[in-house]
Amino acid sequence: PFAMARRELARHGCLPQVVLVEEGQDDDNKYRMAVRDCLRMLGVLPFKEDGVNLSAAAVTVIQRNEEILGGGTRPGHAFPLAARVRENVLECALPEESGEPCWLPYAQAALRVISGDYGKFGRNKQEENMNKFSTFFTNVFEQIDRIGEPTLLIAESETTAHKLPALQNQYLAFDSLRVGNETYTPERLPNLRIVRTSLDVKRQPHYYHETEQKTTQGLFSWGDAKRTLYAIKKTPQTVSFKSKFASQASRHGE
């Protein structure tokens, strides 16, 4: 009943705000987060850093399992999602059935997601399906770049790399991003800085700054590199050797 009611409200343009508070929890913190969420729905930016001249953007892929709604069955599917800041307003892009992105205010995008009004792609790696994801990502990258502001674009690897192979370890390359039939270089996307991140603490670090194992963690500089800042998390206990795909040297070193 909850899922059906939420979807039906969204279809009529009503964005439900639900706060689940259990006895003994930090109630004040939950209500603060709810107020922040309401502001974000209005397109208000959730952060403001003085002295930082980079705009923010992000891409991800949502995976949904099969669901039973109102007596019917909605098959499992996936769809890409993007966010950008344009004229100090937070926007989201949802895919059409063709893969073309449709940019909307944050709240309208949320309504369409809840009501199921977006292009639904397969979760497989068949060529036709992967081409739709490529169409979405190539258009998103180019459209964000055309805003004309230097932008930091975050791509969370655990969700996105499955549909954007260029973010997988074996395909990573400095200053080159292969998406479908397109190859992007800094000259083609001069305003975009793409950063791959990982939220999985069980994975090995994405970047080894030397060939042997180190215990360095956090942000640090290395050598004479001027454009590269390195970041590494603490050494995982499950990793005893470096990955053959891990980058080992800066592109700016001799």
Side-chain angles (χ1 to χ4, degrees), residues 4 14-15 24 46 48 60-61 118 132 134-135 149 158-159 163 177 188 197 203-204 210 226-227 234 236 238-239 250:
M4 292 173 58
C14 179
L15 192 60
K48 176 62 177 177
T60 188
V61 174
Y118 52 85
K132 289 185 177 181
S134 296
T135 297
E149 298 179 356
E158 266 64 46
T159 59
K163 297 297 186 286
L177 183 72
R188 289 195 63 184
T197 63
R203 295 293 181 91
Q204 63 182 352
E210 290 184 3
K226 302 300 182 184
R227 291 176 52 204
K234 66 180 182 180
T238 56
V239 177
S250 168

Side-chain angles (χ1 to χ4, degrees), residues 34-189:
V35 172
R36 289 181 181 180
D37 194 40
C38 288
L39 292 174
R40 185 164 56 250
M41 289 298 177
L42 297 175
V44 178
L45 299 185
F47 63 90
K48 176 62 177 177
E49 294 287 346
D50 293 330
V52 177
N53 62 349
L54 286 174
S55 185
V59 292
T60 188
V61 174
I62 308 298
Q63 304 273 358
R64 289 202 158 176
N65 296 324
E66 182 179 284
E67 291 182 290
I68 298 177
L69 292 172
T73 300
R74 182 171 67 181
H77 62 276
F79 65 97
L81 186 68
R84 71 180 180 187
V85 176
R86 187 170 66 93
E87 298 179 353
N88 293 319
V89 175
L90 184 61
E91 297 181 330
C92 287
L94 292 174
E96 304 289 359
E97 292 293 341
S98 63
E100 294 285 337
C102 176
W103 291 98
L104 298 163
Y106 190 103
Q108 289 186 20
L111 286 171
R112 287 185 55 175
V113 169
I114 294 173
S115 59
D117 182 18
Y118 52 85
K120 301 174 181 63
F121 303 163
R123 302 174 67 170
N124 56 65
K125 293 186 177 181
Q126 293 181 2
E127 183 177 1
E128 181 181 0
N129 189 51
M130 294 297 288
N131 285 342
K132 289 185 177 181
F133 281 96
S134 296
T135 297
F136 180 86
F137 288 124
T138 54
N139 279 277
V140 161
F141 292 156
E142 294 173 7
Q143 290 166 11
I144 293 176
D145 182 78
R146 284 199 296 269
I147 293 176
E149 298 179 356
T151 299
L152 189 69
L153 188 145
I154 303 297
E156 202 281 306
S157 62
E158 266 64 46
T159 59
T160 311
H162 299 292
K163 297 297 186 286
L164 188 57
L167 296 182
Q168 297 175 11
N169 283 351
Q170 61 266 41
Y171 300 117
L172 283 181
F174 281 119
D175 291 341
S176 179
L177 183 72
R178 179 78 175 178
V179 185
N181 296 324
E182 300 287 342
T183 299
Y184 292 108
T185 62
E187 289 74 24
R188 289 195 63 184
L189 299 175

